[in-house]
Amino acid sequence: LVDLVRSSRRLLLAAVLAPVLLLTAFQWARPKFESLLLPPQIDLTAPAAAIRHATRAGDPVFVWGVDPERLYVVAERRPASRWFRPLQPGTPEFIGEYFVKDLEHQKPRVVVDLGREKFRDAPNLARHVERNYRLTETGRDYRVYLRQ
């Protein structure tokens, strides 16, 4: 009977402590896992100000990179392309031509590249921007180009 009481106490103690330890470990590890799994949030204040300074309300702009739709909203400008998301790794290069065609048609005054890798996975888009735009502002996580 004494052994049964002792094992019941251990089982009860384990049943109480296990969730507490798991919750504590989760709260400690959560920020570390989130930083690995979620894309970093880019401060959009400066690129949005550059867009508003160089354009008028209603002017289309083109944003490439991480969460482009956020910058359209913050800058209060409409997209120059019907496509919101940049290419994913492994996407055929010819898909980037759709972006270039939209830029040739809309001729946005401003192109913004969000992120640290200049027009990653879109060499044809990079060539179009180099030929038709000039770099006017650079930040840690963005580049702003104005139409020449």
Side-chain angles (χ1 to χ4, degrees), residues 9-142:
R9 282 186 185 168
R10 288 183 191 143
L11 187 59
L12 181 63
L13 185 62
V16 170
L17 286 181
V20 171
L21 291 173
L22 284 173
L23 284 172
T24 303
F26 177 75
Q27 290 298 336
W28 174 81
R30 183 178 171 190
K32 292 166 182 50
F33 286 118
E34 282 180 349
S35 68
L36 293 174
L37 299 175
L38 299 174
Q41 293 291 317
I42 294 174
D43 181 12
L44 301 176
T45 308
I51 289 172
R52 285 192 298 268
H53 178 75
T55 62
R56 291 174 287 179
D59 286 348
V61 299
F62 180 74
V63 180
W64 177 265
V66 180
D67 292 331
E69 59 276 3
R70 287 180 52 231
L71 185 53
Y72 292 124
V73 171
V74 172
E76 300 174 341
R77 297 298 185 265
R78 65 183 180 87
S81 177
R82 58 197 145 162
W83 310 102
F84 279 96
R85 286 286 177 178
L87 303 174
Q88 299 301 315
T91 303
E93 185 176 324
F94 75 88
I95 300 294
E97 284 301 317
Y98 293 122
F99 290 103
V100 173
K101 286 179 183 176
D102 285 350
L103 293 180
E104 289 171 347
H105 176 73
Q106 292 284 333
K107 297 186 181 359
R109 179 158 169 70
V110 176
V111 169
V112 178
D113 184 18
L114 290 177
R116 295 191 176 136
E117 297 180 36
K118 183 179 176 185
F119 297 108
R120 182 176 64 93
D121 297 329
N124 46 5
L125 179 61
R127 285 189 296 274
H128 178 80
V129 171
E130 286 173 15
R131 281 193 309 267
N132 299 288
Y133 293 83
R134 64 183 166 77
L135 181 64
T136 59
E137 186 174 329
T138 302
R140 192 185 104 173
D141 291 316
Y142 71 93

